[in-house]
Amino acid sequence: MLSNKVYIVGGGVLCVLFIALAMVEFSTGYPEDGAQDLLYAALSAIAGGVLYVLDRRQRERRAAERRDAR
């Protein structure tokens, strides 16, 4: 199983790629496709952000459990 950080980085990479693709499609005259790619970029950025927050909370919980166990 991959760690959460891999998914977070993957979401960021997808976001950048979709933004680049949207820029190309806007400049070549396909605004509908460019808008769709911007939507995908926003979704991947949101997913990466949610995974980041969940990963951070999971680390905080583990640290608290270790402190309580001592």
Side-chain angles (χ1 to χ4, degrees):
M1 189 165 136
L2 298 173
S3 72
N4 290 340
K5 290 181 184 179
V6 173
Y7 292 114
I8 293 168
V9 170
V13 168
L14 283 176
C15 179
V16 170
L17 290 176
F18 278 124
I19 290 173
L21 186 60
M23 290 171 54
V24 168
E25 289 178 345
F26 277 127
S27 67
T28 56
Y30 296 101
E32 297 87 14
D33 294 337
Q36 186 178 11
D37 289 337
L38 287 178
L39 174 69
Y40 292 150
L43 289 176
S44 63
I46 290 169
V50 167
L51 285 174
Y52 174 76
V53 168
L54 292 176
D55 184 56
R56 202 160 122 203
R57 286 185 183 174
Q58 184 179 22
R59 274 195 253 149
E60 289 173 359
R61 255 187 263 130
R62 286 181 185 165
E65 288 174 1
R66 277 188 235 142
R67 270 185 274 129
D68 293 341
R70 291 181 188 177

